[in-house]
Amino acid sequence: MMFLSIPCMLPLLLISSTALVSVTFRPHNRRVRTTLNSAPSAAPMDTLPPTLNHQFHHLEFYTDSARKKADWIARILGADVVDHDNGEGVALVISNDLRMLFIDGGVCDGALGERADKIVEECGDLVVATVCIQVDDVDEAYKYAVGKGATSVTEPVFFNGEGGKFSHLPWSMCNVAEISLYGKVVLRFISADCTPSVTTTPKDVTKSKPKISRIDHVVGNLPSSEYKTTIDRLKSHLSYGEFAEFTAEDVGTDLSGLNSVVLSSETGAVLLPLNEPVNGKKLSQIQTFLDRNNDRAGVQHTALITEDIFGVVERMRGLEGLGCEPVEGLEAGVRGCFELMDRPNESYYDDLPQRLSGRLTAEQMDRCRELGILADADPDGVLLQIFTKPLPDRPTFFFEIIQRVGCEGRPGCGGFGKGNFRALFKAIEDYEERLEA
């Protein structure tokens, strides 16, 4: 049976091209009770932890070849690979505040190597194993989460860079702790005062190339049996609130659908959308992910934000096919095949001026058309977005590249692309027809 590559590229949820979408966005107000299936509201103000300043710090991937995979991803994203004292088993990709750590279980020793090897074997050759959140006080964040029922993975420890469980990290002199996020994915707390290793400075940085700025959101797919309980416990463990909700009634059809809730930290700097499948006449795309992810929850994609999406995507378009055929330094078939999603049809761009009501210039809309970038808006700003096709050896992980225009750094401003779902589904339908042919 052939599994589709494109279906996993949708922004947070999947709908059919005939569905009308309505999405409920909620400001992060801890005194307002949310309404998802009687889920408990976030903790009252007088019991909130003192560590609310959460930010994404890094993602940790398990892979079959850390340095080669890091080189490939860095080339796609226009990022930099930096050396680390642990050698070939660990590689770090950085771009401004984006940090992605790649771990090769076949090279790393001990428990880390064994865990990485096992997960790669079960879930594919590019798996998000750890989502790391920077907090002001690791001990307090861990204590609060465990006190609310979180499953401890690693108790707080001061890492001085001289061995132990976190010896693979290219940062030291900081506190680290871990709890369970969902599936086999770990949520790591790390303190803000970490010292980078001396070798984490890129040797040859091209400062003029368009750059990714940071992680905007990390999307998890969950089995239906775990969906509501995971939302409830993460709201409780992290004291997060609901930023947006998508329901099957809003976006489902008799073919397939999903439910989705976006969880947000107090400042909105950490956004964690969670999806569950709703199957109809066809298997939900979320269920396909779960089936290929060893029947368990996992990270489906991460959205990376930039201040120059036109420059980033123009460079990425020039790299399509990277890894599909042998090129210098990158043999084919080892790390996957890089492609961006198919461009929407011309009518999509013909409708943009009316749909966005003049919120993009004519030049910006021409660039969107040229590069196949999607555009949508909410009352606060405009979202520009594009998706890669799945990158590993199975449809279990992809990147989304976004820019939030007119948002002045406001998290979630511009929304998550609800106006683009129909165009994306049309791309999927076209792709399915080609597969059947």
Side-chain angles (χ1 to χ4, degrees), residues 265-412:
S265 64
E266 176 72 16
T267 63
V270 175
L271 296 170
L272 299 176
L274 303 172
N275 301 331
E276 73 158 336
V278 177
N279 296 322
K281 294 179 180 179
K282 290 186 177 181
L283 197 67
S284 169
Q285 312 292 349
I286 306 305
Q287 188 60 52
T288 299
F289 168 94
L290 296 170
D291 292 345
R292 299 292 278 168
N293 197 54
N294 203 35
D295 297 318
R296 62 175 174 238
V299 173
Q300 178 207 46
H301 79 272
T302 182
L304 308 178
I305 194 165
T306 177
E307 298 303 315
D308 182 12
I309 194 169
F310 300 130
V312 168
V313 175
E314 183 173 39
R315 183 185 43 74
M316 292 176 77
R317 284 289 183 195
L319 292 172
E320 286 191 280
L322 186 64
C324 308
E325 300 292 341
V327 295
E328 184 178 355
L330 289 170
E331 62 270 31
V334 175
R335 290 166 303 283
C337 178
F338 166 65
E339 293 179 292
L340 289 166
M341 60 170 284
D342 293 341
R343 290 172 169 84
N345 57 35
E346 290 300 309
S347 63
Y348 172 86
Y349 295 103
D350 292 340
D351 294 339
L352 267 189
Q354 180 177 359
R355 194 155 62 83
L356 297 183
S357 302
R359 299 171 73 178
L360 290 180
T361 67
E363 180 182 0
Q364 288 173 321
M365 287 187 286
D366 286 344
R367 290 288 276 162
C368 286
R369 185 191 295 263
E370 174 190 353
L371 296 169
I373 293 171
L374 305 175
D376 195 37
D378 71 5
D380 296 323
V382 176
L383 175 73
L384 303 178
Q385 62 185 160
I386 197 167
F387 302 83
T388 71
K389 295 179 184 179
L391 295 169
D393 58 355
R394 62 188 78 182
T396 49
F397 182 78
F398 59 95
F399 286 115
E400 176 185 1
I401 310 299
I402 69 171
Q403 182 173 351
R404 299 187 182 278
V405 179
C407 292
E408 299 179 349
R410 296 190 301 278

Side-chain angles (χ1 to χ4, degrees), residues 130 143 328:
T130 303
K143 180 180 178 181
E328 184 178 355

Side-chain angles (χ1 to χ4, degrees), residues 15-16 18-19 248 251-257 278-284:
I15 62 172
S16 80
T18 60
V251 301
T253 70
D254 60 348
L255 296 179
S256 67
V278 177
N279 296 322
K281 294 179 180 179
K282 290 186 177 181
L283 197 67
S284 169

Side-chain angles (χ1 to χ4, degrees), residues 4 6-10 14-15 285 423-433:
L4 303 183
I6 291 184
C8 293
M9 70 190 179
L10 296 185
L14 307 174
I15 62 172
Q285 312 292 349
L424 288 166
F425 233 84
K426 181 62 168 63
I428 292 174
E429 291 168 350
D430 292 345
Y431 183 74
E432 289 174 335
E433 289 177 6

Side-chain angles (χ1 to χ4, degrees), residues 181-198:
L181 185 59
Y182 43 68
K184 294 291 186 180
V185 184
V186 169
L187 181 67
R188 177 179 295 156
F189 297 123
I190 194 167
S191 55
D193 55 356
C194 284
T195 301
S197 303
V198 293

Side-chain angles (χ1 to χ4, degrees), residues 145-316:
V146 172
K148 292 292 185 177
T151 299
S152 173
V153 175
T154 306
E155 294 183 356
V157 60
F158 179 76
F159 174 56
N160 61 9
E162 297 182 357
K165 178 175 181 178
F166 298 110
S167 60
H168 66 288
L169 294 181
W171 306 279
S172 60
M173 309 308 291
C174 55
N175 293 317
V176 187
E178 295 174 330
I179 61 173
S180 176
L181 185 59
Y182 43 68
K184 294 291 186 180
V185 184
V186 169
L187 181 67
R188 177 179 295 156
F189 297 123
I190 194 167
S191 55
D193 55 356
C194 284
T195 301
S197 303
V198 293
T199 52
T200 58
T201 301
K203 294 180 177 179
D204 182 21
V205 181
T206 305
K207 295 182 179 180
S208 61
K209 64 186 177 185
K211 284 284 192 177
I212 300 294
S213 299
R214 58 179 171 80
I215 298 168
D216 185 86
H217 56 269
V218 176
V219 182
N221 287 349
L222 310 171
S224 293
S225 60
E226 302 173 15
Y227 179 64
K228 295 176 184 177
T229 56
T230 300
I231 292 170
D232 289 353
R233 66 178 179 79
L234 291 182
K235 288 169 62 179
S236 176
H237 301 167
L238 302 174
S239 196
Y240 282 11
E242 293 181 23
F243 186 87
E245 178 183 1
F246 309 79
T247 70
E249 291 182 358
D250 294 323
V251 301
T253 70
D254 60 348
L255 296 179
S256 67
L258 59 75
N259 296 320
S260 183
V261 166
V262 182
L263 298 185
S264 170
S265 64
E266 176 72 16
T267 63
V270 175
L271 296 170
L272 299 176
L274 303 172
N275 301 331
E276 73 158 336
V278 177
N279 296 322
K281 294 179 180 179
K282 290 186 177 181
L283 197 67
S284 169
Q285 312 292 349
I286 306 305
Q287 188 60 52
T288 299
F289 168 94
L290 296 170
D291 292 345
R292 299 292 278 168
N293 197 54
N294 203 35
D295 297 318
R296 62 175 174 238
V299 173
Q300 178 207 46
H301 79 272
T302 182
L304 308 178
I305 194 165
T306 177
E307 298 303 315
D308 182 12
I309 194 169
F310 300 130
V312 168
V313 175
E314 183 173 39
R315 183 185 43 74
M316 292 176 77

